[in-house]
Amino acid sequence: FLQVCRSSPERHGDDDMKVTAVLIVCSCLVLRSLGKPQFPEQEKDPRFWNSWAQKTLNNALMLQTLNQNKAKNLIFFLGDGMGVPTVTAARILKGQLKGQSGEETQLEMEKFPFVSLAKTYNTNAQVADSAGTATAFLCGVKANEGTVGVSAAAVRSQCNTTQGNEVKSILSWAKDAGKSVGIVTTTRITHATPSAAYAHSVERDWYSDNEMPAEAVQAGCKDIARQLMENIPNIDVIMGGGRKYMSPKNQSDVEYPDVAKHNGTRKDGRNLVQEWIDRTKDQKGHYVWNKTQLLSLNPSNVDYLLALFEPGDMTYDLERNTETDPSLTEMVDVAIKILKKNPKGFYLLVEGGRIDHGHHEGKAKQALYEAVEMDRAIGRADLMTSIHDTLTVVTADHSHVFSFGGYTVRGNTIFGLAPMLSDVDQKPFTAILYGNGPGYKLVNGVRENVSTVDYQENNYQAQAAVPLTMETHGGEDVAVFAKGPLAHLLHGVQEQNYIPHVMAYASCIGQNREHCSKGSGAPGLRPVLSSIATLLTVILILC
């Protein structure tokens, strides 16, 4: 019946009355289908639900024995813009890609035993951006929007407020402790999230000196690409996009030599990639720019890896050339194989960065496929590490004004129509909608009839309530999923900057390392708590 709706007479130029009649018939067919069970037969039996709940209960009871090991390895997955509605929709999509109805599916992150919420606001913004939030979950302090790796005393775009306000990240803490460290992202490596791991910039958009005002360069502020090479020069693994910010202005790109927009941007004439190659050539350093080169590497012979697969951001997974561009899962696989060689362990930052871009463009299908791919990468990391010595955290920096609803039936394609017409304009609508964004569209002064377009096309822009060139972030809390040593410390509703402090504590890096001297990591807490309890008992007796 959806096909009937989409091939309605309106497409052939008939009048509105015929269109409305066909849509009413379509709506009736949908409503009639609601009476037919659209779920597995076993779900009719209460024993199915009771048995499932009992298994879940037994698993929960086992969590009473908390994992208080020292975290040798730390893995932080950041789904940029992956708010709770995106998580739920990605879960459904994951199931539907496997031929299931989807709602009962479990994402890899949803298998983690501990879940909490993080408050995402920036120091000067109720609804956050990716720079201030990255500073929070990587450097442990909340900051102003648009700034990375600096405290809230720094003012966006004001170069002279940088010095003295720099804050170090957990990646830096891990490196100082002798661990290997890596960054993997689907965006340009100089984008907001990855840059907070190594840079200190009052402007997130200063990717190269080409994007900086002359006065900022003259005042001594450094662009983000330069800081990637200079601030922590021995980052073991760097993977993502962003070649053009590393190359001299107008230098042709190795992959797109005839496309001017992909040429190098650097005004200082430096070739940062070549500088990196020269610096690491005697240290098992390898530079690659395509999938074939990446997968041909023998990780045992690689100590340093710089992999830049696009001039800017990497392509959406739905549009990815699977012959030339690696998936996020493939990048994570290689990164862990290289990093885990260090007997002291590693810290790895992984960003599914283009979930955010899909939402900003109103392209829900792109965003959700990106989220599903990140979940695959989480699954791969799980297979390559142990819950006994690896703390893994999955979260988002912020949400989006993305939603899905409309009383859809069980198993309804996540990109499909709601089973009703609007009782105001008598037109159908998709389950997925945005609060604002580029999907706002009027045809002859009224809302577009979505049955006349291909709303399941990869780049379809879902309808939005308010017209904007780019859809905005959402301000609600985001989920934090955790497993491994001391994962239970990520509990309740916390400030976003709490996350790296927990991870550092679990791994005995950065601040609060006193508990580590009493044994292998967190167990050192027990004598402290025991002493406090003894002291309180004595006080009660004496009083």
Side-chain angles (χ1 to χ4, degrees):
F1 56 82
L2 293 181
Q3 287 301 317
V4 173
C5 289
R6 288 172 57 188
S7 59
S8 66
E10 179 172 303
R11 182 170 291 181
H12 306 292
D14 287 0
D15 58 39
D16 290 342
M17 290 296 292
K18 289 184 179 180
V19 174
T20 302
V22 171
L23 291 175
I24 290 173
V25 171
C26 292
S27 184
C28 290
L29 288 170
V30 174
L31 293 172
R32 188 174 299 171
S33 72
L34 289 174
K36 301 173 184 177
Q38 301 293 322
F39 52 87
E41 192 70 19
Q42 62 184 359
E43 293 186 10
K44 294 180 180 179
D45 188 344
R47 288 175 297 183
F48 167 79
W49 297 107
N50 290 334
S51 175
W52 192 351
Q54 287 298 313
K55 289 178 183 176
T56 305
L57 176 60
N58 288 332
N59 289 336
L61 289 170
M62 292 176 66
L63 294 178
Q64 288 180 329
T65 304
L66 298 174
N67 183 346
Q68 298 199 56
N69 297 338
K70 177 181 177 180
K72 175 183 176 182
N73 308 314
L74 300 170
I75 305 179
F76 185 76
F77 281 94
L78 191 283
D80 199 313
M82 190 181 69
V84 172
T86 299
V87 172
T88 307
R91 173 201 309 151
I92 294 172
L93 174 59
K94 178 182 178 179
Q96 292 181 348
L97 289 173
K98 294 180 178 179
Q100 304 163 355
S101 64
E103 297 83 2
E104 70 292 337
T105 304
Q106 221 180 4
L107 292 169
E108 294 299 325
M109 67 186 88
E110 293 174 334
K111 299 174 184 177
F112 289 19
F114 299 99
V115 182
S116 57
L117 294 176
K119 298 189 283 185
T120 64
Y121 67 92
N122 296 148
T123 47
N124 65 340
Q126 187 178 79
V127 178
D129 90 317
S130 295
T133 50
T135 305
F137 59 70
L138 291 176
C139 304
V141 299
K142 289 230 173 190
N144 293 327
E145 65 175 342
T147 66
V148 292
V150 289
S151 70
V155 181
R156 183 172 189 176
S157 298
Q158 293 187 19
C159 173
N160 63 357
T161 65
T162 307
Q163 191 169 1
N165 294 320
E166 300 93 342
V167 288
K168 283 192 170 185
S169 74
I170 186 171
L171 181 140
S172 179
W173 307 339
K175 194 65 181 177
D176 290 344
K179 294 183 183 295
S180 293
V181 296
I183 303 171
V184 176
T185 179
T186 52
T187 67
R188 65 203 78 178
I189 197 68
T190 51
H191 213 255
T193 299
S195 65
Y198 59 82
H200 312 287
S201 178
V202 292
E203 177 51 66
R204 59 174 287 179
D205 295 333
W206 288 351
Y207 305 125
S208 73
D209 58 351
N210 183 65
E211 290 76 43
M212 297 176 66
E215 56 269 23
V217 177
Q218 293 164 4
C221 279
K222 298 180 181 180
D223 63 86
I224 294 171
R226 181 180 168 189
Q227 293 191 55
L228 172 62
M229 293 295 125
E230 296 179 358
N231 288 3
I232 311 175
N234 52 351
I235 295 175
D236 303 80
V237 173
I238 301 169
M239 277 197 261
R243 285 192 299 259
K244 66 181 181 180
Y245 305 110
M246 307 288 183
S247 304
K249 196 169 182 65
N250 296 325
Q251 178 176 297
S252 297
D253 183 73
V254 63
E255 189 175 7
Y256 310 100
D258 299 321
V259 183
K261 69 176 182 179
H262 294 324
N263 290 350
T265 64
R266 300 199 63 80
K267 290 181 177 179
D268 60 9
R270 292 176 64 177
N271 186 326
L272 298 180
V273 170
Q274 189 59 51
E275 290 180 20
W276 185 93
I277 293 172
D278 294 340
R279 191 172 71 224
T280 63
K281 63 183 178 183
D282 297 325
Q283 305 176 62
K284 295 184 179 179
H286 293 263
Y287 169 68
V288 301
W289 59 269
N290 61 52
K291 177 179 175 176
T292 301
Q293 294 174 341
L294 177 71
L295 299 187
S296 66
L297 292 173
N298 180 350
S300 63
N301 294 326
V302 180
D303 287 344
Y304 295 98
L305 174 63
L306 175 61
L308 301 175
F309 301 106
E310 289 292 329
D313 299 322
M314 294 181 68
T315 55
Y316 284 121
D317 198 65
L318 266 177
E319 300 171 352
R320 179 171 61 89
N321 183 327
T322 57
E323 297 298 317
T324 60
D325 297 327
S327 66
L328 182 60
T329 301
E330 289 166 334
M331 291 194 288
V332 167
D333 181 272
V334 174
I336 292 178
K337 286 176 179 174
I338 294 171
L339 297 174
K340 70 187 302 185
K341 295 185 299 180
N342 188 336
K344 292 186 178 181
F346 64 85
Y347 172 87
L348 176 61
L349 165 64
V350 182
E351 183 197 21
R354 303 219 66 195
I355 300 169
D356 178 72
H357 294 172
H359 282 320
H360 276 309
E361 294 173 357
K363 299 173 181 177
K365 192 165 188 176
Q366 298 285 11
L368 296 184
Y369 270 79
E370 291 293 308
V372 170
E373 173 55 29
M374 192 180 86
D375 200 62
R376 288 192 196 99
I378 294 168
R380 180 66 59 87
D382 177 66
L383 293 174
M384 301 177 72
T385 56
S386 167
I387 197 170
H388 299 294
D389 68 358
T390 303
L391 172 60
T392 305
V393 177
V394 181
T395 188
D397 46 358
H398 53 73
S399 186
H400 277 266
V401 291
F402 162 85
S403 66
F404 69 98
Y407 304 116
T408 46
V409 297
R410 177 76 177 271
N412 191 71
T413 170
I414 192 64
F415 305 114
L417 294 174
M420 64 186 73
L421 301 179
S422 164
D423 59 1
V424 175
D425 65 10
Q426 286 74 52
K427 291 179 181 177
F429 58 96
T430 54
I432 286 175
L433 297 167
Y434 286 96
N436 57 49
Y440 178 93
K441 186 179 294 184
L442 296 178
V443 177
N444 297 323
V446 295
R447 183 171 70 93
E448 182 180 51
N449 187 334
V450 296
S451 69
T452 67
V453 298
D454 185 0
Y455 50 79
Q456 300 208 45
E457 191 264 329
N458 288 355
N459 290 301
Y460 171 72
Q461 293 177 309
Q463 291 187 334
V466 176
L468 286 177
T469 304
M470 296 288 280
E471 174 265 5
T472 73
H473 296 166
E476 74 269 25
D477 299 347
V478 295
V480 183
F481 305 88
K483 69 172 182 177
L486 295 183
H488 58 279
L489 296 181
L490 289 164
H491 67 101
V493 181
Q494 305 291 350
E495 296 289 354
Q496 195 170 40
N497 68 294
Y498 173 65
I499 297 171
H501 290 275
V502 169
M503 298 185 75
Y505 186 92
S507 194
C508 296
I509 62 176
Q511 303 178 58
N512 303 327
R513 291 195 297 267
E514 295 83 359
H515 61 288
C516 306
S517 61
K518 299 181 183 296
S520 60
L525 277 173
R526 294 171 187 166
V528 175
L529 295 175
S530 177
S531 299
I532 294 173
T534 302
L535 181 61
L536 290 173
T537 302
V538 171
I539 291 172
L540 287 171
I541 293 173
L542 292 175
C543 294

